[in-house]
Amino acid sequence: MTSRDAGCGAFLLLIAAGTASAQESGPTEGSTTNLPAITVDAPARARHRAEELGPAGHAGPQTSAVTRVTIYSTSPLASSGGGNGGDPDKVPGTVTTVDARQIERLNSLNVTDALQQYVPGVMVSSVSGNPFQPDVQFRGFTASPVSGTPQGLAVYQNGVRINEAFGDTVNWDLIPTAAIASVTMVTNNPAFGLNALGGALDVQMKNGFNYHGAEVDVMGGSFGRIQSSLQWGKQVGNFAVYGALEGAHDDGFRLFSASNIRRFYGDVGYRNTDSEIHLNLGAADNNFGAAAAVPIELLNTNYSAVYTTPQTSTNQVGYGNLTGKFDVSPTWTVDGNLHYRAFSQHTQDGNPTNAQACTANPNLLCYNDGSTPAYGQNGQQLSNPFPANAFLGENDRTSTATTTFGTTLQATNTDKIFGFDNRFTVGASFDRSITHFSANAELGTFGNDYVLNGSGLFLGSLNSADGPVGVRTVNQYTGLYALDAIDLTNKLTVTGGGRFNFANVQIQDMIGGPASSLNGTNDFSRFNPLIGATYKITSGLTAYGGYSEANRAPTPLELGCANPAQPCILATFLVSDPPLQQVVSRTFEAGFRGRQELGPDLGTVTWKFGGFRATNTNDILSVPAPNNQGFGYFANVGSTRRQGIEAEAKLTNKSIEMYATYAFIDARFLDSLQLASNSPFANANGNIQVSPGDQIPTIPRHRVKFGIDYAMTDALKVGADMVYVSSQYFVGDASNQASKLPGYAVVNLHSSYQINRNWQVYGRIDNLLNNHYATYGIFFDKTQLPNFVAGGASFSDPRSLSPARPQAAYVGVKATF
């Protein structure tokens, strides 16, 4: 019996045992109370579920005695600290919040799983091939841990922007999931600063004022997964403390893709009638094997196959954040924070190489061709120690160390203006990040398993594309913003404002040689406006609409690799600093949202329907170098447009919670351009012709989600989720000439049984139908390495895929005190 079979059996036994227990001693169907019963029965020290965050591990309504107040993030500090957000019904944009109850329901240490399930326009893909390092895509904009990915979403944690300075990447593995109180997707709001082209994700963490008690959670299952979390919170008078620890190990279903997660988060708070202060600290130390995309010919033979390894990453972070909220008068509130963050990343990436035996003298190594010398770090031409029939490669190592210090100050006033209710917010932020980045390339040979074996020979700086890199970069980001929302009537609210962003990016070469062309200073500035309105048509129906702009400054990584004549290994070897233009997005958004009470038995229906249109100018894409696997450069590619509709409906009553969402996204290039590509339709120069109206790759047009939770008894709950994502074009097929990567549908099941007031057992099955599908596809250079599985024959298919995890089952136990 496999671990997957054993997990499925345990899951079915869990449901059967719960049903039998209910038949023997549980209440009758007519006595079923609100979902789940622990909300009623929990001991006083554990009532944080009922009082603050909702039921533990289940999606369901609160008890009737609990009133939930939603605070929507209208600026980076709007809900950090004590909470100072706005009424969500007065926001001229889409309002989507995922709370701790919904996150717990999935029993996952990946907050991105909850985002994919509950936010209509979100899709999660696995570019890196590791479940803890996913790409999150919303409306065709991405927040990714993969260096070189154009980042179009800003992510904040307790009011602090956590897009890493060097490449604006978002390392989701560093966010402690158990400690999250809520995640809000903010759209149509430039107050969130740089990268908020498609929106911003505002992550708010728990503290001792809103979490009381202790919880221990342990889960294990398929592919060697074992994970645990511990959290505890307590309030004593005006003081409160909260702490969370998480750990996980997963072998991965792909070869060489094991993961280890270690995370901590803590908060100490003080509050009185007119102020609240928090000091929160966090740390993480995680390492991964990233299997990445693999040729489809290898996948057809072995679904766990990899192509060129090692591919490993180690992420470490430590941070501190001091926040404060002070009511300085009945109508003025001042919020602020001081934060420090230290981030470190070390990667290894096995790749084919341009080094080869020299034609005239095979005892020496040449570079790019058979005559140009390959130099070592001592400046001398390298000798060739490799067998004549060896397949050469290189292990590209990088080290990134970033320290960030910043502060934000914000004031909010609620004085009436000419008798109209009004909410005015003004703020300023400053962040300074210093990054030390280095990279080198060790030559080696590939075995028949595509594992690169190192030789101890390193390429030197005279090999401009592969030589060692050492740079120091400084990012200084300054922002000034103001927002005003005025109630012109008791139904009409008009919001206006904007933000001025100034970005200064400095790059300094620390080695010399050809890389000295990296030296440079780049300044980017822009004011981004916002105007919008909401109108409350009835008590249960609101219309909204608005227009906003946002910008993204090129990162040091992009600026250091933007020369088509000198392509570099993306995210590794920076070679020159030609100018790039900042990306500007202009977004229109409008729609309706509503709420309808159906009665005490039928429950409540909430829904929303809206459309958006976002046009980017000077969009930046990573462009692969033709016939040069792994190499490329960043370029402005003119204008692009992303537009679509989003719809969502939820039904909640005493025993059922059900939701359904749909998103349509149409993403297209608006200008003609030529792009380098490994597409089979590329011309003799390795280029494809992109025409206006061609669809942007990796952005599926249709996304459908459905979920249901049902309380079979007070103790036993069962549920299911479904996600459907339509087909998408491969990376490298911006001309839309090749067949698409097929769409997919995934069904997941989950169940829990409350043994008593303190103990719960639960289980889940992911990918119930065991579908084999891919979430990401790219064309690769099929000439650089042979198909060892086929006896050394050449690859015939240029498609390379990132396969999704097959069926997996997990069981766990949760103790709450």
Side-chain angles (χ1 to χ4, degrees):
M1 177 180 291
T2 66
S3 61
R4 186 181 71 198
D5 295 334
C8 292
F11 181 85
L12 295 174
L13 285 173
L14 174 63
I15 296 179
T19 304
S21 176
Q23 291 173 345
E24 294 172 6
S25 59
T28 64
E29 182 178 357
S31 65
T32 300
T33 59
N34 285 359
L35 175 67
I38 189 173
T39 302
V40 178
D41 297 335
R45 293 184 59 197
R47 285 184 185 161
H48 55 276
R49 306 251 181 262
E51 298 169 353
E52 300 289 347
L53 302 179
H58 303 282
Q62 303 290 311
T63 61
S64 58
V66 177
T67 300
R68 302 186 67 193
V69 178
T70 302
I71 298 296
Y72 183 76
S73 305
T74 55
S75 61
L77 287 182
S79 52
S80 63
N84 193 29
D87 181 352
D89 219 24
K90 298 180 180 180
V91 174
T94 302
V95 177
T96 307
T97 296
V98 180
D99 62 24
R101 172 177 61 92
Q102 295 168 305
I103 296 171
E104 265 191 290
R105 168 184 177 270
L106 300 179
N107 294 303
S108 171
L109 289 187
N110 296 350
V111 65
T112 56
D113 291 342
L115 295 176
Q116 169 156 267
Q117 209 65 59
Y118 293 109
V119 182
V122 164
M123 183 192 79
V124 173
S125 61
S126 183
V127 176
S128 70
N130 189 287
F132 293 100
Q133 293 184 299
D135 278 25
V136 172
Q137 187 188 104
F138 175 70
R139 294 183 173 179
F141 297 91
T142 303
S144 169
V146 179
S147 295
T149 302
Q151 309 286 341
L153 297 174
V155 181
Y156 286 78
Q157 179 179 324
N158 275 2
V160 177
R161 185 174 179 268
I162 59 173
N163 295 73
E164 305 296 349
F166 190 65
D168 281 339
T169 54
V170 179
N171 291 289
W172 301 102
D173 63 284
L174 300 179
I175 303 175
T177 304
I180 295 175
S182 67
V183 184
T184 300
M185 179 65 76
V186 181
T187 66
N188 206 37
N189 191 338
F192 284 83
L194 296 174
N195 292 92
L197 306 180
L201 278 165
D202 180 45
V203 182
Q204 292 300 316
M205 311 301 287
K206 298 174 185 175
N207 59 59
F209 293 120
N210 61 29
Y211 187 100
H212 303 155
E215 179 185 274
V216 180
D217 189 346
V218 179
M219 188 188 82
S222 300
F223 308 113
R225 170 70 67 91
I226 180 69
Q227 68 183 48
S228 62
S229 65
L230 167 67
Q231 56 179 325
W232 174 78
K234 185 176 180 61
Q235 178 178 352
V236 180
N238 291 344
F239 293 89
V241 63
Y242 171 83
L245 286 168
E246 291 180 326
H249 171 81
D250 192 297
D251 291 333
F253 79 96
R254 304 272 301 278
L255 299 173
F256 313 112
S257 62
S259 305
N260 292 288
I261 303 292
R262 296 165 289 266
R263 299 189 290 226
F264 164 77
Y265 178 82
D267 181 279
V268 177
Y270 169 83
R271 72 180 179 189
N272 55 31
T273 55
D274 54 14
S275 64
E276 184 167 344
I277 300 172
H278 289 267
L279 174 64
N280 45 77
L281 305 171
D285 183 5
N286 307 328
N287 53 73
F288 314 94
V294 63
I296 193 170
E297 292 175 70
L298 297 181
L299 279 182
N300 289 338
T301 302
N302 181 1
Y303 196 66
S304 64
V306 298
Y307 178 71
T308 70
T309 192
Q311 296 183 55
T312 64
S313 178
T314 298
N315 292 343
Q316 297 174 314
V317 73
Y319 54 87
N321 184 24
L322 178 65
T323 68
K325 182 180 78 74
F326 306 92
D327 295 331
V328 295
S329 78
T331 58
W332 278 100
T333 300
V334 175
D335 296 81
N337 72 23
L338 288 170
H339 59 268
Y340 173 83
R341 181 180 177 91
F343 169 71
S344 172
Q345 183 179 69
H346 302 276
T347 69
Q348 294 188 70
D349 188 7
N351 287 300
T353 183
N354 287 321
Q356 56 189 282
C358 296
T359 303
N361 184 356
N363 294 320
L364 296 176
L365 288 174
C366 286
Y367 190 82
N368 272 338
D369 52 42
S371 59
T372 304
Y375 296 100
Q377 292 185 333
N378 60 0
Q380 303 298 312
Q381 186 172 5
L382 290 170
S383 298
N384 182 9
F386 306 112
N389 61 349
F391 293 96
L392 303 190
E394 62 186 56
N395 188 352
D396 301 313
R397 295 182 174 91
T398 72
S399 176
T400 307
T402 302
T403 57
T404 300
F405 170 81
T407 183
T408 302
L409 185 65
Q410 174 180 296
T412 302
N413 177 261
T414 56
D415 282 318
K416 290 188 176 184
I417 296 181
F418 302 113
F420 299 116
D421 289 337
N422 189 74
R423 181 184 181 84
F424 173 72
T425 299
V426 61
S429 66
F430 175 79
D431 292 277
R432 177 182 171 89
S433 300
I434 299 175
T435 300
H436 293 271
F437 175 84
S438 62
N440 59 50
E442 179 190 7
L443 295 177
T445 59
F446 282 107
N448 291 343
D449 55 0
Y450 295 99
V451 175
L452 182 69
N453 301 296
S455 67
L457 292 179
F458 289 83
L459 290 171
S461 59
L462 296 180
N463 306 288
S464 61
D466 270 350
V469 172
V471 297
R472 177 182 183 269
T473 67
V474 179
N475 304 49
Q476 293 188 156
Y477 296 149
T478 303
L480 300 171
Y481 59 90
L483 299 171
D484 189 81
I486 184 169
D487 296 342
L488 296 181
T489 71
N490 59 355
K491 294 184 176 183
L492 176 64
T493 300
V494 176
T495 299
R499 175 172 174 133
F500 175 79
N501 292 321
F502 177 76
N504 174 263
V505 181
Q506 305 169 35
I507 305 177
Q508 179 184 3
D509 169 49
M510 306 300 290
I511 293 181
S516 60
S517 59
L518 287 168
N519 293 329
T521 299
N522 302 268
D523 292 330
F524 306 92
S525 62
R526 196 171 197 283
F527 176 77
N528 296 313
L530 160 69
I531 185 69
T534 63
Y535 185 78
K536 204 167 188 64
I537 300 171
T538 69
S539 60
L541 175 61
T542 299
Y544 67 88
Y547 170 80
S548 67
E549 298 180 6
N551 73 304
R552 177 172 86 83
T555 66
L557 170 62
E558 293 168 332
L559 290 167
C561 183
N563 190 344
Q566 290 183 284
C568 54
I569 292 184
L570 295 178
T572 306
F573 295 103
L574 312 183
V575 291
S576 64
D577 182 28
L580 287 173
Q581 301 299 313
Q582 64 182 335
V583 184
V584 176
S585 181
R586 298 171 173 86
T587 301
F588 293 91
E589 184 170 353
F592 299 89
R593 49 180 172 255
R595 177 185 179 92
Q596 181 66 47
E597 299 291 341
L598 303 179
D601 295 325
L602 296 178
T604 302
V605 170
T606 58
W607 61 273
K608 57 189 174 186
F609 178 86
F612 67 92
R613 182 185 180 115
T615 302
N616 286 6
T617 55
N618 295 317
D619 217 348
I620 296 176
L621 294 181
S622 59
V623 181
N627 305 315
N628 206 347
Q629 179 72 18
F631 282 75
Y633 57 94
F634 296 94
N636 292 113
V637 296
S639 297
T640 61
R641 183 183 64 220
R642 296 157 178 84
Q643 61 185 354
I645 59 174
E646 296 164 342
E648 178 182 9
K650 295 181 182 179
L651 169 66
T652 302
N653 61 34
K654 292 188 297 182
S655 58
I656 291 178
E657 180 167 311
M658 182 167 53
Y659 68 89
T661 72
Y662 170 73
F664 170 76
I665 300 173
D666 178 66
R668 298 183 183 271
F669 294 97
L670 298 182
D671 294 321
S672 296
L673 65 150
Q674 277 199 344
L675 294 176
S677 174
N678 288 308
S679 166
F681 298 95
N683 61 24
N685 296 321
N687 295 318
I688 56 175
Q689 179 63 48
V690 180
S691 301
D694 284 341
Q695 294 181 36
I696 301 174
T698 75
I699 303 178
R701 290 166 66 81
H702 304 280
R703 307 167 195 198
V704 180
K705 304 171 187 179
F706 173 81
I708 184 170
D709 281 272
Y710 176 61
M712 298 179 68
T713 71
D714 281 351
L716 178 64
K717 281 80 188 175
V718 296
D721 301 300
M722 185 278 291
V723 174
Y724 166 76
V725 176
S726 66
S727 59
Q728 57 186 286
Y729 284 105
F730 281 73
V731 174
D733 189 26
S735 58
N736 300 173
Q737 293 173 276
S739 59
K740 290 184 176 182
L741 179 69
Y744 58 88
V746 184
V747 177
N748 306 316
L749 299 181
H750 56 266
S751 178
S752 67
Y753 179 68
Q754 197 69 39
I755 300 172
N756 56 33
R757 294 185 301 173
N758 302 104
W759 292 91
Q760 179 193 101
V761 292
Y762 61 87
R764 81 177 211 231
I765 300 176
D766 294 344
N767 194 359
L768 174 68
L769 304 179
N770 198 27
N771 288 341
H772 283 198
Y773 63 96
T775 60
Y776 175 82
I778 187 172
F779 292 128
F780 78 108
D781 182 355
K782 60 183 188 294
T783 66
Q784 292 204 318
L785 289 175
N787 186 343
F788 292 121
V789 176
S794 298
F795 285 104
S796 60
D797 193 326
R799 294 176 299 169
S800 186
L801 309 179
S802 287
R805 179 169 287 213
Q807 186 187 87
Y810 308 95
V811 293
V813 61
K814 188 179 299 181
T816 306
F817 305 98

